[in-house]
Amino acid sequence: MKNIKYIFITIISSLVAISCSNFEDINTNPDKSTTVAPEILATEVLKDEYRFWNPVPNDFSSGNLFNKHTAILTGNPNANQYYYSFFPFGSFGSYKNLTDLKRMVEFSEGSPAEPSFKGLALFMKASYGFAATLDMGDVPYSEAGQAEEGNTRPKYDKQADVFAQILTDLQQAETFFAEGNYLDGDIMFNGDVTKWRKLCNAMQLKVIQTMSKKATADQKARFAAIVSAGNLMEGNADNFKLAYSENPNATHPFWNGETIRINTGVSKLVVDALKNSNDRRLFYFAEPAPALIDGGLLESDFDAYEGAPTELSAEMLGLNHESGAYSLLNARYVEFRDNDPMLHFSYSEQCFIIAEAIEEGWVTGDAKEYYENGVKAMLEYYMDLPLTAGHVHGMAIDQAYIDNYFTEAATYATNGSKEDRLKQILTQRWLIDFFQGNGGNYPQFLRTGYPQYPLDPATSLNPDDASVYPKRWKYPESEQTTNPENYQKAIDEQYGGFDGINQVPWYLQ
Amino acid sequence: MKLEPFFQKIKELSLILFLFTSMAAGAQSQKIVTGQVLSAADNMPLPGVTVIVKGTKNGTSTDFDGKFSLNVSGEAQTLVISSIGFQSKEVVISDSQLTISLQEDINALDEVVVTALGIKREQKALGYAVQEINGEALQKVSGVDVGTALTGKVAGLLVKNSSDFNVVPEITIRGEEPLLVIDGIAYSNKTLSDISSEDIESISVLKGATASALYGFRGASGAILITTKNGSGSENGLTINLTTNTMFTAGYLAIPEKQSVYGRGSNNTYNLNQDQSWGQVMDGSIQTQWDPIAKEFRDFEYLPVGKDNFKNFLDQGYITNNNVNVAYKEGNASLRSSVNWTENRGRYPNSKLDKYTYSFGGDINLDKFQLTSNLSYAKRESPNMGSNGYTSYDPMYTLLIWSPSDYNVLDYKDNYWLTPGVLQNNHYGYDYENNKYSGKNQNSPYFDRYEKTNEVSRDIFNADLSLNYEITDWLKATVRSGLDYYVDRGQLRVSQGSYVSTGNTSIPGSSSTWNGGRTGAYVTGKSQGFSSNSDLLLTGNRAFNKFEIGYLAGGTIFYDRTDNLNAGTVGGISVPGFFSLNASVEPAKVAETTFSQQVNSAFGRFSVAWNKLIYLDFTGRNDWSSTLAGPSVPDSKRSYFYPSASSSFIISELLPESSKFWLDLLKIRNSWTQSKTPAGIYDINSVFTTTTGTWNDLNGATAPGSLYDLTSIRPQSAETYEVGLQGMMFKKRLNVDVSYYDKRFYDILKDNPPAPISAASGYTGKVINIDEERSRRGWEVALTATPIKKEDVQWDIAFNWSTYNEVYTKIDTTFSRNDPWIKEGARTDAYVGKEYLRVPETGENIYKNGRIQRSNYNTVFGFQDPDWLWGVNSTFRYKNFSLFVSMDGVVGGLMNTRTESYMWQSGVHPDSDTEERALDVATPGSNNYIGNGVKVISGAVEFDTDGNITFDDRVYAPNDEATTYLRAVKDLHNSSAWGGSGTTTDAYEKTFFKLREVSLTYNVPSNVLESWGPVRNASISFIGQNVFLWAKDFKYSDPDGGKEDFADPSTRYLGANIKLTF
């Protein structure tokens, strides 16, 4: 039986040998890192914020409905078109990236790029706060991103304070960018910090104007100071945009969206606005209405285009669409992976912001010039798109056309009323966002009422009151568990305890 | 003793095995001995008794009359007669007919079952529930997976059998996933579906955590112990078993149907380019349609030519399961080898599954030394298992839901290309002029089955070796070691021209793929894993007067590692029909993940019994787990201890002697245990996630989303208390076993996912042990009876029933979800949804613009767990015929029906052919459906955050506004496969009853067999699986799978089974 003993001993000693291996090595994930380069954090943060949330045609189409640029013609009412949402909640999801930004700055410590990363971190924080407060009202800001310091339940700042702090942060960000040289990992400006500085300045103008009803004299003065200091965007080259490419990870979200496009109409609001000023962007945006072509009109004729009324019932839109009544989205939108760059903040918008401020007397200057520069820049944007040949129905925008644009209704209403001029400015500002998926214009509409978005209580899906435009989204449901006291305080103080979508946040009061 | 002679013997044995055919044929026949075996107690014939010539391998067994007949050689002197439950007997061979009576073995009442670590113990000594199933019960009807045969056979065990192709049954005990232990080894990768039912000797189900306490955290949810067959149970000599089992599809238990009145369109009109069936009547009017033969658009009569498309598309399927095994035993050594082949052809075209298992085992049984070793290899492969579920573009997506009945699917059979490899022939047609497809996201069904394929294969090998050595009569040492190694492979191929991508289809190592819409794709994944378990056990027992003590000390090392590698083409495939990463248009995307863990354990058990009346058991186990180790975690955190205690009290021992006449055993049992589960692999590591090429060529990284509280981290714990009562009556003809348990989960470790915190803090979660506690409480009843037991007739029936639910027993004021339905005492399985808005006083539905309104707030609509589960198994034997029937069912519990929800939404539901719809279609644009309820004419309502009304001055009038029938249907059924909770209208009760297995068997009697030469046992059966279904709410799909997401048609299988033993 000696042999058996040896077998036992061998097995047992090999077991003991195995058991002595290092547990920490076993529990270290070889596929994950505990440290990274700051620029790759920057890339991911920028992509998270500025890429369309789910870059597929269906969601992209749906995401463009709220600002009444397009209409869905399937016969099935899409909530976004009728003043509601499939998910009527705002989000603090982007605030999670405050931690990424913190790490980004830490990992860049001591490098020449450190100030640029600091600038980016502050700019992004301001962007998250701005989007969140416009969506919901009071939101965490001053205490946001402090989980590591032990504060996992940040208080909600009053909206006025959020705006004020955003302005401070943007100013500080500009100072940082001024100290930095180059920003690595930058998918927006390719690392050019001079452009980031201009953006930080221009963003302050946008923030102050968005709270125009509540802006203090100091804030208005600051607006004027920024304009007169002049370090602002100077043309389309300074546009804050996301450019698409042939790479599948950076493809335009509507590429290959033919099945969606054939049921997506251009809105009557857009078509009429463009027809009204003989604006050739119409031919870039839309296809002629089949019924009008069948009726003998030419595709190069403005009259061959008919927009879909976004407030009409989905069933009627569907039936009219089947008889070819409406202009669909231009077929070019589904053709190319590297289609129209997504504009997040453009030189044009900056022009219109200043034009409005001049009209409101915040700042002195020639509103007409700003208005015209803004429109021209947008026309140039379309003129310069590389993939439009053969897709614009023989009505390409060229320099001669742009030079002669400001005639008839397109002429700035210098002799008309201020309201006429504001309407012109805001309508042009709204057209910037056509099928851009940047979600932008709605707060500006709520603030100014221009252009007037059509609403029919018989088709509105606003569940609380079908006769009004929703003013905000509800706070994330998770806050009721993760931050209940501050959440309750916020809705009590602002909205009488009812977290409803028609409640009016401070900036619109 | 030296091992040399051993090897010599093994060589001899192999040689003998090799020559078995000549052995079988060459048996000498000198004289025939015949006889009958009777029970000494009542002189009844005993069937199945083993009769062997002493000192040889020559033997037989008695038929149902207790009779036998055996060829013996001249020198044979003595027969050994043996049967389970009786004392063996030796009789001298005489010329005359032998009559042998056997005495019942009194000790046979002390049933022995396999318990944790493979230790056999008396049933009556156990303080916890163990239910044993004989392998034969699983071999009556052999389907694709053994799990199906387990359904309904054990109280508290739920098997979810999906009707989808190549989906392995899901097994839970008391609502949790048990550990699988095969021949004493707790493999990490080997699953029940990797085993052939023919290789199973018995299954022992350890239901609670106490029963499996010695398995540590892996046994925290109970365990299924499988003992495989080895040669040692058989008679001396050679035994060959052949089993063939083949069943064909024979009709459906549940299959979706669709209306074939209305054609394509989404708005009550004909629309060539629209999916859904909300179009005009298919009335023979002339419409422009795609002609699949001419491959062009043409005007022709619009008719429901495809009303039987779904059934026409389905093929005849079958399952064939075949096994050959050979066992050889001589003296102290035995060998067994088995090979099994199963093939399943599914009902969708181009679906096939093959399974192969090979196993080989050997035993050496000497006085003080035993050695057992098993090797087995299993392969499972399917060239195309297709995809299951809506978001994976299941074939039903196109065929049933989104396409109308206006095309004949058979026109596309072998005709699904326009341009081979590039462009499909689709009923939505192709606009050549503009070089555009005008279709919706639907493939032509045949294209889908042949050009969008999901090839899978699994190879798994395992081996174990177990040595026992009796050191003294009170101490035995066991060393046992086992390992498994597997490779799972998956390859998705999508041809160019596919309108849909791979969708949510998984490959090994990656749960969803989303690749290849229009561009084509090749996606490949490979998982390989290795696990090993090594045990050292010292066991023994001693008796002192009326005391008996048992003890065990041992240690285990468990190691597990999985490596996943997956890759896919990016931007499509460059050459039509070329499926390889080398075909990727852009550089292919590759990902790798690795998981490993090691747990070292030391454990012990001490048991004491007094006077066969009271039994007490104590166990303790300490684990050291690698998953609790990290740079910032103290070493002490990785070690944790958990004890158990159980007792058994034999009441029947105290009862007067007279009770023994009818009561064999009455026992009450009691147990308590603690079980602890450490964090998951890498769950406590704070790491960055990097992405190669997140935007163009730039890489990306994200910071950890969770905070970690590593200084106070503990394993998650549970405490189980269980009581039970077991009774055996009327000479074991009636057995009753009742259990009640209460399992309290505490120290709940929120590691994956972490406990949520406000994202505004910069983190979304925290890895922490929270204070929330839950308790799961349940009852189980198992009853077996033999109501009839006569010479020619016997009826055995087994019944089992179980129920449980889980409630919150403590709420964590910080981390428990702040919802009104989450509170102490409330069930944890609430089915939550947004109900229709109703007038608070009257309950009438509230409509707006003619449309029904849903609340913005969730409420509890019901519960998800079934109210109870039941199963009945019955065997009725008459002479040589026996009828076996197994049925089971689930009662109560809600789940969402995705199939019917989408049948409604897309307008194909047979019940949607209504008057209102006809009116809508007659005048498109008209509204003809008026919902029954009210509308608000003035006033408003406000709610608090729980959805309670805080202000309400609404004034109502009867709803008089019409909408379309289409709109009304969509409002009622707008559940989405893409997320969100389903509508309450689509929440169905799971309640169903199923006739799972039927087999009618004829056992060929021994006197017939005599003329068959070497055949010792033979039987033929007519069998059925999945024979009949009744479901309360589910009409068009089978709720058996436990979830219903485009469940494939549920198919009845009928066939035959032949078993031969040589």
Side-chain angles (χ1 to χ4, degrees), chain B residues 353-364:
Chain B
L353 168 72
D354 283 290
K355 262 177 81 172
Y356 310 90
T357 64
Y358 295 83
S359 63
F360 182 79
D363 291 77
I364 297 166

Side-chain angles (χ1 to χ4, degrees), chain A residues 173-380:
Chain A
E174 199 272 339
T175 318
F176 280 132
F177 278 122
E179 292 166 24
N181 49 4
Y182 182 79
L183 182 67
D184 260 334
D186 175 11
I187 63 175
M188 305 298 287
F189 284 140
N190 200 21
D192 187 343
V193 288
T194 61
K195 290 182 181 173
W196 278 102
R197 289 181 65 188
K198 292 173 185 173
L199 176 66
C200 288
N201 291 330
M203 263 310 280
Q204 292 177 55
L205 303 184
K206 181 168 179 171
V207 171
I208 296 170
Q209 188 166 73
T210 303
M211 56 188 278
S212 60
K213 292 183 173 187
K214 299 286 183 181
T216 62
D218 278 357
Q219 284 163 336
K220 288 175 186 169
R222 180 166 172 181
F223 187 103
I226 292 170
V227 173
S228 63
N231 190 16
L232 290 168
M233 293 192 233
E234 288 158 65
N236 281 340
D238 291 337
N239 283 350
F240 188 55
K241 65 178 189 289
L242 187 65
Y244 299 107
S245 76
E246 289 277 358
N247 193 313
N249 72 22
T251 289
H252 191 284
F254 209 59
W255 172 77
N256 191 21
E258 182 65 7
T259 61
I260 309 296
R261 189 196 68 87
I262 58 173
N263 289 310
T264 307
V266 178
S267 75
K268 186 169 172 54
L269 200 60
V270 167
V271 171
D272 289 356
L274 294 173
K275 277 176 161 176
N276 186 39
S277 39
N278 282 315
D279 194 322
R280 288 191 183 182
R281 279 180 282 180
L282 180 63
F283 304 99
Y284 287 68
F285 292 174
E287 295 290 322
L292 295 173
I293 293 293
D294 289 349
L297 293 175
L298 295 173
E299 59 175 329
S300 57
D301 185 342
F302 277 95
D303 291 336
Y305 295 76
E306 183 63 44
T310 51
E311 77 285 10
L312 193 63
S313 79
E315 288 82 356
M316 290 315 297
L317 284 174
L319 287 172
N320 294 342
H321 167 46
E322 281 172 12
S323 60
Y326 300 130
S327 285
L328 296 182
L329 266 181
N330 193 300
R332 71 186 182 86
Y333 283 108
V334 300
E335 287 290 318
F336 312 103
R337 285 180 181 268
D338 50 345
N339 232 325
D340 307 16
M342 185 180 192
L343 295 173
H344 282 280
F345 195 18
S346 59
Y347 167 70
S348 283
E349 186 172 8
Q350 177 190 289
C351 289
F352 297 129
I353 288 170
I354 297 172
E356 184 189 331
I358 293 169
E359 290 293 347
E360 293 293 350
W362 292 12
V363 58
T364 53
D366 184 353
K368 176 168 181 280
E369 192 187 332
Y370 279 105
Y371 167 80
E372 289 189 355
N373 284 344
V375 176
K376 279 181 188 167
M378 271 323 287
L379 294 171
E380 282 163 8

